Amino acid sequence: TVRNRSFKYIPPPLMACALGTISLGRVWWLASTAGLVPHLFGLYARVVLSIVTAACLLLYSVKALFYPKVVLKETSDFMKGPALAAGCMALMVLANEARQSANLLLGQTLWFIAVVGHEFIFVAFVCSRLKEVR
């Protein structure tokens, strides 16, 4: 369907944006704990930006579910591969948020998925570079 095909064109740099977004949420929250901004603002920024990050990661996960060959090809790309690794790092930060605010097991599970995903991207990227050398 048209809806499924539109997921195919979600750009990998969205994952890097997710890392920046959740990092901003953490920075605003830390600024509020240091008294630089009102505590309520820092808390809301942290929660809202975590939700935005989760949405970005979920979108790209749907793309990976429907188009695994496209995502595997993007993993091997010089410009797109590192953006996907940034998405795994965003998931690691989100896992920490989940552990602190929701559930320890959820946080640990997300952390494990992020680490495995990061290692998979690394191996796929290195293998593709080695194929080009030959």
Side-chain angles (χ1 to χ4, degrees):
T1 65
V2 173
R3 202 173 326 158
N4 287 350
R5 275 186 255 140
S6 63
F7 282 110
K8 184 177 183 178
Y9 301 105
I10 295 173
L14 177 67
M15 302 293 272
C17 292
L19 178 59
T21 302
I22 199 157
S23 297
L24 282 173
R26 293 288 292 178
V27 166
W28 280 114
W29 177 71
L30 290 171
S32 74
T33 60
L36 300 173
V37 297
H39 182 71
L40 199 57
F41 177 80
L43 181 63
Y44 281 137
R46 178 182 174 189
V47 170
V48 168
L49 294 175
S50 293
I51 292 169
V52 169
T53 298
C56 291
L57 295 174
L58 186 62
L59 279 173
Y60 202 84
S61 297
V62 170
K63 175 183 178 175
L65 182 68
F66 285 120
Y67 300 100
K69 290 180 183 178
V70 173
V71 172
L72 187 60
K73 185 176 177 184
E74 290 172 346
T75 303
S76 304
D77 187 85
F78 251 123
M79 298 300 287
K80 297 174 183 174
L84 294 176
C88 290
M89 289 183 261
L91 185 56
M92 289 175 193
V93 178
L94 190 63
N96 186 46
E97 295 291 338
R99 182 191 59 80
Q100 289 179 349
S101 60
N103 184 321
L104 176 64
L105 183 61
L106 175 63
Q108 290 173 334
T109 303
L110 291 175
W111 181 267
F112 179 77
I113 292 168
V115 170
V116 169
H118 201 100
E119 294 305 318
F120 174 78
I121 290 167
F122 174 75
V123 169
F125 187 77
V126 169
C127 287
S128 69
R129 297 299 111 205
L130 290 175
K131 284 180 185 176
E132 283 186 10
V133 171
R134 292 181 187 177

